[in-house]
Amino acid sequence: MKQAIAGLVRWTGFGAMQRFLKARRGVTIVVYHDPSPETLREHLRWYARRYSFTTLDAVATAMETGRWEDLPPYPLVVTFDDGHRNNTALAPLFREFELRPTIYLCSQVVGTARPYWWKTDAAGAIGVERLKQVPDPERRRLLAEAGNDPDRDGADRQAMTWDEIARMTDVADYGAHTRTHPILLQCDDRRCAEEIGLCRIELEEALGQPCRHFAFPNGDFSEREVEQIRHAGYRTARTIDPGWNDADGDPLRLKAFPVSDDVSVDWLSVQLTGIPAWLRKRKAAATGPGEADAAQWSGAMAKPKSAGV
């Protein structure tokens, strides 16, 4: 199916048409988690021939000032969620391709040996999708009872250290991805406010520089989360709602295209058309919200299966 869709997109020129109509003046944001340097190099080569790399700060400024024309044609922002340990190996690529991505960090996971909860054996045994659907205290209790207390260090470090983060400040910006990566919709008001607001404070204290941008864990949010982000003083908040961003968009609901970490360039070009997101939406609607296939969806937000949580 993927090969057929990729071939159809190439044959019809649909991807090129979408770039001309949507991406020429609209900002494209792509979302990675933990890609290998080899895969990312191929992706960056493909982007470099079709887009102009820019930053979230530049996009925020264009939105705030109304000077959208200051952005380059075909503007593209590259982002990474969570702060995975192997992101440090990508720094040479950022220098080589002269881009400055935003890496969204979980402030109570980076700099520690605490695992990302969805990557633990306990989460695998219980079911990651099941854990996303229960109140946050219940999620934490279930993980602890299954042998992976989210407040305890794991056997192997999965996140970047503070030293590694500091060494990349010349090639990357850092944003907030909550303190511990809960599903915010499953948190009570106090926990939600702390995960959003304290994350910024902790990152700014550790980095000695402003933290201006936020990304919703799992792409889940409501008006409550948006108001908390506004109250905390962030300039932008990135969703995983697929689409392009224009001058009239909401900087606290930026659209983005999740990209599978191991995807081929052919399928990358398809993901940036929004077709896979549309197909997932139809599949989710057909199977119902409780089915496993629909678990890749939260409302209208699509995630490729290899994207993590």
Side-chain angles (χ1 to χ4, degrees), residues 108-109 114-115 117 122 126 131-132 134-152 179-183 186-187 191 195:
Q108 289 294 307
V109 180
R114 294 170 192 156
W117 65 263
I126 298 167
L131 289 168
K132 293 180 188 178
V134 301
D136 194 61
E138 177 74 359
R139 175 185 66 84
R140 298 170 64 83
R141 182 186 66 80
L142 289 170
L143 287 169
E145 290 179 352
N148 288 115
D149 189 329
D151 292 326
R152 294 182 179 274
R179 305 178 81 207
T180 62
H181 206 296
I183 304 302
Q186 301 295 344
C187 297
R191 181 66 185 273
E195 288 283 343

Side-chain angles (χ1 to χ4, degrees), residues 45-100:
R45 285 175 176 165
W46 189 85
Y47 294 138
R49 293 193 296 269
R50 295 164 176 83
Y51 297 89
S52 301
F53 295 120
T54 190
T55 66
L56 275 181
D57 278 334
V59 174
T61 297
M63 286 184 158
E64 293 163 0
T65 64
R67 295 182 58 85
W68 199 251
E69 68 276 8
D70 288 347
L71 293 173
Y74 298 94
L76 175 80
V77 177
V78 180
T79 69
F80 297 83
D81 282 5
D82 309 325
H84 292 272
R85 178 179 183 174
N86 292 333
N87 287 175
T88 57
L90 306 176
L93 293 177
F94 303 156
R95 296 185 179 96
E96 177 183 346
F97 287 90
E98 299 181 347
L99 78 150
R100 189 174 184 86

Side-chain angles (χ1 to χ4, degrees), residues 169-251:
T169 54
D170 65 320
V171 293
D173 293 323
Y174 294 106
H177 202 38
T178 70
R179 305 178 81 207
T180 62
H181 206 296
I183 304 302
L184 289 174
L185 296 182
Q186 301 295 344
C187 297
D188 61 25
D189 290 348
R190 178 179 177 180
R191 181 66 185 273
C192 177
E194 290 176 347
E195 288 283 343
I196 291 171
L198 290 182
C199 182
R200 180 183 182 185
I201 292 171
E202 290 168 352
L203 290 176
E204 290 184 341
E205 289 179 349
L207 296 172
Q209 62 186 37
C211 177
R212 306 179 181 93
H213 308 288
F214 184 88
F216 297 102
N218 202 52
D220 294 344
F221 68 96
S222 67
E223 288 297 327
R224 179 189 68 168
E225 284 70 39
V226 173
E227 286 306 310
Q228 289 288 358
I229 289 164
R230 182 176 289 111
H231 179 74
Y234 292 100
R235 296 183 77 187
T236 72
R238 198 218 67 215
T239 74
I240 52 171
D241 290 344
W244 296 266
N245 303 279
D246 58 29
D248 297 323
D250 186 344

